[in-house]
Amino acid sequence: MLSLGKLAAGPDAGRYYEEAVARGREDYYAGEGEAPGRWVGAGAAMLGLRATVEDGEVGHLLAGEDPASGALLGRKITEGRVAGFDLTFKAQERRHLFGIGEAEIARVVRECHDVAVDDAVGYLEREACRARRGKDGVLQVEGRGFVGAAFGHRTSRAGDPLLHTHVVVANRTQGPDGRWTALDARVIYRHAKTAGYLYQARLRHEVTERLGLEWGEVRKGSADLAGFSRELVEHFSQRRAEIVEELAQRGGNSLLAAQTAALATRKGKDYGVPIERLREEWRARAAEHGLDREHCEELLARRVAASRPETIDLHALTRSASTFTRRDVLQAVAATYRAGVTAIELEAEVDAGPGRPRGRAHRRSGR
């Protein structure tokens, strides 16, 4: 799944992210034992940011500056403005495989996750990287890519296995005229759900290709691995259970209520626990729910071949709405690929297929 949040600007926020993210202290994005942050996005490559994130660079990024040189990218981002966006990609349905598998399996799953993150970020760059221009940002021009820093994590705040990546994207992009201005966040939010579906589809594709695992039915863009019980999935979702319990006590089921509950139950992470010690604990818990090492090895030995879905009836996929966008079709078609698909392949299929919608919105014929 993909969640999206705004990062506030200001001197305190800049110092916080400089220390918390770049230096890898007790923070939200990077911590002891985690892989170093890496630069992502065409904008980052254009600035020559191709290696790992260094100390102090995220502070520059969230101030609207070139992370390497400190030079301004357009106007300085002042306090009270949006400094950037946090795109969080979570491999929730693969958490148990990552947590209890052998080190080599965990490495492969993490590589699959990283590829899927890059695929989804690439889609957002193609479809949602737009710069705001003119008074009050009423004009929109195409941007030349994101300047982003990706930080991977292996656990949730509740100590469960949860492979996820925070992609910190600066609120800056370069337009066709070479000027750096703010991103149009409306377009990013508009495409976020589709990017989440594409992330999940690419992750299924990579896991199927490399590990040969089978998937259950795709629901709301994601699917469980076949052979892993829902009971086990929920057992390793203690963080979600905490939020659900807090929501029940507070009342309400809106996005704002969920965010409030998440903040109220947030705990600091213990980064000092070695990953192998955590895996020993996770394996013991999984065995109590019927998934021991032998069962896991048996599932991995099956090697199911990837398959493509049958011909898709576009009208059947969109019967619940009289109008639909290309984003809606991408989501619907992605959900038909149990074994996953790449974003480029999926977009090509949607755009080339007979009767596929193009442009902003489309009305079904005869309705």
Side-chain angles (χ1 to χ4, degrees):
M1 64 172 290
L2 166 62
S3 60
L4 176 61
K6 295 179 180 179
L7 302 176
D12 292 337
R15 283 195 295 269
Y16 169 77
Y17 287 110
E18 180 176 323
E19 294 180 1
V21 183
R23 296 180 184 175
R25 295 179 180 173
E26 296 178 354
D27 63 279
Y28 195 81
Y29 292 107
E32 182 181 344
E34 300 290 2
R38 60 187 179 93
W39 291 107
V40 297
M46 189 164 50
L47 292 174
L49 303 169
R50 301 178 185 275
T52 58
V53 180
E54 301 294 338
D55 290 356
E57 290 184 336
V58 172
H60 286 301
L61 182 70
L62 296 178
E65 301 168 353
D66 183 329
S69 69
L72 280 175
L73 301 176
R75 296 180 180 178
K76 189 173 184 63
I77 301 178
T78 57
E79 188 170 0
R81 298 285 185 175
V82 176
F85 304 90
D86 176 4
L87 284 61
T88 306
F89 296 89
K90 298 179 182 178
Q92 287 185 301
E93 284 70 29
R94 269 62 69 190
R95 64 170 73 212
H96 35 282
L97 179 63
F98 172 77
I100 67 178
E102 298 297 331
E104 176 63 16
I105 297 299
R107 181 188 65 79
V108 171
V109 173
R110 182 155 195 164
E111 289 176 355
C112 294
H113 165 75
D114 288 343
V115 169
V117 168
D118 290 344
D119 213 19
V121 171
Y123 165 79
L124 285 173
E125 280 198 308
R126 292 190 299 274
E127 301 295 330
C129 185
R130 304 292 183 267
R132 298 180 62 185
R133 295 289 177 84
K135 185 178 180 180
D136 298 324
V138 296
L139 300 179
Q140 184 188 98
V141 299
E142 189 166 337
R144 291 179 172 172
F146 296 141
V147 183
F151 298 88
H153 276 240
R154 295 171 291 186
T155 64
S156 71
R157 289 184 177 272
D160 288 330
L162 178 57
L163 184 60
H164 61 288
T165 295
H166 295 273
V167 180
V168 181
V169 175
N171 189 21
R172 284 289 181 269
T173 190
Q174 190 180 59
D177 57 2
R179 290 173 52 210
W180 290 85
T181 51
L183 290 164
D184 191 333
R186 298 169 299 179
V187 190
I188 298 175
Y189 276 91
R190 198 177 300 149
H191 284 271
K193 182 178 179 180
T194 304
Y197 273 61
L198 296 181
Y199 159 74
Q200 295 284 0
R202 183 61 186 267
L203 184 55
R204 293 195 303 275
H205 171 79
E206 293 297 318
V207 171
T208 301
E209 289 288 322
R210 299 190 62 178
L211 296 176
L213 291 173
E214 189 175 5
W215 299 90
E217 182 181 354
V218 180
R219 297 180 179 179
K220 296 183 179 180
S222 64
D224 288 339
L225 283 165
F228 294 82
S229 68
R230 171 49 51 177
E231 178 188 6
L232 180 66
V233 174
E234 292 178 353
H235 173 72
F236 281 115
S237 303
Q238 294 182 99
R239 177 68 181 130
R240 180 179 182 277
E242 291 173 350
I243 296 173
V244 170
E245 182 179 354
E246 183 71 16
L247 269 174
Q249 293 177 358
R250 290 172 174 266
N253 56 7
S254 66
L255 176 60
L256 178 59
Q259 291 173 336
T260 302
L263 288 171
T265 57
R266 177 176 291 173
K267 304 173 183 176
K269 283 188 178 181
D270 185 357
Y271 294 111
V273 182
I275 188 64
E276 282 309 313
R277 186 186 303 173
L278 287 172
R279 284 211 171 94
E280 289 176 4
E281 176 195 333
W282 295 335
R283 287 167 183 155
R285 289 165 55 189
E288 292 175 357
H289 289 76
L291 185 64
D292 54 21
R293 183 170 297 183
E294 289 73 19
H295 187 196
C296 189
E297 291 176 352
E298 179 184 337
L299 292 172
L300 290 168
R302 292 179 181 176
R303 302 295 307 182
V304 176
S307 60
R308 295 178 63 85
E310 297 178 358
T311 303
I312 300 165
D313 182 351
L314 185 59
H315 294 321
L317 290 171
T318 56
R319 65 167 59 94
S320 61
S322 59
T323 62
F324 53 90
T325 67
R326 181 175 181 269
R327 301 188 304 276
D328 298 323
V329 180
L330 284 170
Q331 293 170 30
V333 178
T336 67
Y337 278 87
R338 283 198 184 190
V341 64
T342 70
I344 293 297
E345 290 174 328
L346 185 65
E347 290 183 80
E349 178 181 351
V350 166
D351 291 338
R356 300 298 189 194
R358 304 179 71 93
R360 296 179 60 187
H362 307 265
R363 183 174 298 276
R364 293 182 295 174
S365 59
R367 296 294 180 92

